[in-house]
């Protein structure tokens, strides 16, 4: 069976923990049927309606449904238009609504406002920000999803001006990148203090290639970089995305998916370190589906989060499960 398939995931089904807890999932993707990893509204709702109380979601760019004609700088707007259409369908469907959209733009552009205006129009009231990822893979040939950002992007004056412009327009900047790039992100945050910066996937500590078998050494480097990032008040962190193949835990290569107990045993120290340094008000749990589906089910992932969060107060848990996401992305959350 193929890891991530329905049949593979069905080998391990857990009872839902704390099923009444309201959740906003602030990080998932969608792809058309012919996309890189087909995952449409039907598949999303199959996950969000699988026992946990998902009140709404935020889509984050993934190179889906770009326009195939017109100016290159406007082609990513096709993705926002595609997701906005799916979001309007989600409003009428029996499933969690897509409340926000984080699109893609080249933040180095002189005409950035033209692209942001086009995203805002295409987003039909749901456009919330831009992810122009900093991820640059040290060994792209050994990685399942290698980031290919140009070297020095975070230091590029034009790029920094674009990040500043997002803040001026009340938009959020998201970045996915690797643990060895967290300091670049922190320096970028220091240079753009009025822009809210979202660190996706707790900075993606790598566990493959040159980093295979170096778990403790990577954790030491990663945690020190997280400590420095926490000093920048404009940075918030997404807690999740650690079940990607390139994190190196190996669940995507097993005959059976991971359990929530296994995820907690392997990864609790990452989550608790970030929460300790940033505080619950600057942390939000995220699914990163369907990418993390290569390792475990959506139900299992949120069970893991609930196991991890049990040591925090009810108010702190509510911040991490929905409050921080609602605040950062300006979401209209359904009433309890």
């Amino acid at each position: 069976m193929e890891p991530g398939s329905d049949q593979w995931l069905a080998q391990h089904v857990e009872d839902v923990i704390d099923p009444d807890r309201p959740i906003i999932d602030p990080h998932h993707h969608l792809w058309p049927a012919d996309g890189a990893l087909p995952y449409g509204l039907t598949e999303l709702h199959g996950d969000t309606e699988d026992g946990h109380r998902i009140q709404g979601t935020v889509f984050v760019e993934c190179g889906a449904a770009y326009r195939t004609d017109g100016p290159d700088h406007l082609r990513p707007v096709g993705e926002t238009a595609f997701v906005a259409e799916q979001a309007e369908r989600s409003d009428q469907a029996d499933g969690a609504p897509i409340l926000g959209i984080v699109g893609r733009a080249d933040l180095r552009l002189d005409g950035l406002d033209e692209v942001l205006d086009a995203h805002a129009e295409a987003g039909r009231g749901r456009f919330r920000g831009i992810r122009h990822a900093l991820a640059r893979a040290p060994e792209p040939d050994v990685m399942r999803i290698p980031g290919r950002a140009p070297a020095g992007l975070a230091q590029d004056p034009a790029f920094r001006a674009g990040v500043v412009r997002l803040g001026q327009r009340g938009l959020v900047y998201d970045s996915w990148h690797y643990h060895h790039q967290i300091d670049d992100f922190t320096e970028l945050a220091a240079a753009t203090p009025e822009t809210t910066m979202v660190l996706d996937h707790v900075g993606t500590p790598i566990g493959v290639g040159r980093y295979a078998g170096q778990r403790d050494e990577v954790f030491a480097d990663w945690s020190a970089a997280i400590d420095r990032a926490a000093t920048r008040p404009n940075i918030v962190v997404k807690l999740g995305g650690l079940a990607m193949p390139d994190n190196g835990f190996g669940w995507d290569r097993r005959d059976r998916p991971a359990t929530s107990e296994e995820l907690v045993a392997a990864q609790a120290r990452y989550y608790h370190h970030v929460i300790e340094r940033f505080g619950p008000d600057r942390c939000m749990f995220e699914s990163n589906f369907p990418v993390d589906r290569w390792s475990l089910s959506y139900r299992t992932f949120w069970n893991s989060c609930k196991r991890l969060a049990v040591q925090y107060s009810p108010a702190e848990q509510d911040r991490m499960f929905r409050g921080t996401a609602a605040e950062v992305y300006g979401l209209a959350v359904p009433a309890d």
Side-chain angles (χ1 to χ4, degrees), residues 141-163:
D141 291 344
V142 304
M143 304 188 83
R144 180 77 67 92
I145 309 175
R148 301 187 184 276
L153 181 60
Q155 292 79 31
D156 186 323
F159 181 83
R160 290 189 171 190
V163 175

Side-chain angles (χ1 to χ4, degrees), residues 224-239:
I226 286 292
D227 294 351
R228 292 186 286 271
T231 67
R232 304 311 315 174
N234 56 324
I235 296 179
V236 297
V237 184
K238 287 179 177 173
L239 304 172

Side-chain angles (χ1 to χ4, degrees), residues 26 74 79 89 95 164 200 243 256:
L74 291 175
E79 179 176 60
R89 288 178 54 204
V164 169
D200 294 347
R256 296 174 62 86

Side-chain angles (χ1 to χ4, degrees), residues 67-219:
R67 293 174 179 170
T68 57
D69 56 13
D72 287 347
H73 65 288
L74 291 175
R75 291 191 178 190
V77 177
E79 179 176 60
T80 294
F82 161 70
V83 177
E85 180 181 351
Q86 302 304 303
E88 291 187 347
R89 288 178 54 204
S90 78
D91 289 343
Q92 308 302 319
D94 185 17
I98 301 170
L99 302 173
I101 299 171
V102 175
R104 171 66 162 80
D106 186 340
L107 294 177
R108 300 168 295 183
L109 290 170
D110 287 338
L112 178 60
D113 278 311
E114 178 190 6
V115 184
L116 299 179
D117 289 342
H119 275 297
E121 181 178 358
R124 307 177 194 178
R126 302 175 205 250
F127 176 57
R128 294 293 183 270
I130 290 293
R131 183 169 77 165
H132 183 170
L134 300 176
R136 181 176 174 83
E139 299 170 286
D141 291 344
V142 304
M143 304 188 83
R144 180 77 67 92
I145 309 175
R148 301 187 184 276
L153 181 60
Q155 292 79 31
D156 186 323
F159 181 83
R160 290 189 171 190
V163 175
V164 169
R165 186 61 183 142
L166 292 180
Q168 291 171 342
R169 291 186 57 136
L171 296 170
V172 173
Y173 171 67
D174 266 71
S175 178
W176 162 56
H177 51 266
Y178 303 110
H179 71 272
H180 58 85
Q181 298 179 282
I182 295 174
D183 284 337
D184 290 341
F185 182 76
T186 301
E187 292 169 8
L188 176 62
T192 59
E194 303 304 316
T195 301
T196 298
M197 313 272 287
V198 181
L199 176 60
D200 294 347
H201 317 329
V202 300
T204 311
I206 305 173
V208 298
R210 71 180 68 170
Y211 298 108
Q214 304 294 314
R215 183 81 59 203
D216 289 342
E217 293 85 349
V218 169
F219 183 85

Side-chain angles (χ1 to χ4, degrees), residues 206-288:
I206 305 173
V208 298
R210 71 180 68 170
Y211 298 108
Q214 304 294 314
R215 183 81 59 203
D216 289 342
E217 293 85 349
V218 169
F219 183 85
D221 292 343
W222 167 87
S223 59
I226 286 292
D227 294 351
R228 292 186 286 271
T231 67
R232 304 311 315 174
N234 56 324
I235 296 179
V236 297
V237 184
K238 287 179 177 173
L239 304 172
L242 286 176
M244 291 188 286
D246 295 333
N247 296 120
F249 289 96
W251 297 320
D252 61 297
R253 300 190 301 273
R254 297 197 330 189
D255 292 337
R256 296 174 62 86
T259 70
S260 60
E261 291 93 340
E262 286 178 304
L263 185 144
V264 171
Q267 299 182 349
R269 60 176 176 167
Y270 297 91
Y271 286 85
H272 292 312
H273 187 84
V274 172
I275 296 167
E276 178 184 346
R277 295 299 190 268
F278 279 84
D281 284 349
R282 295 166 63 197
C283 292
M284 51 182 137
F285 289 114
E286 51 140 346
S287 76
N288 191 37

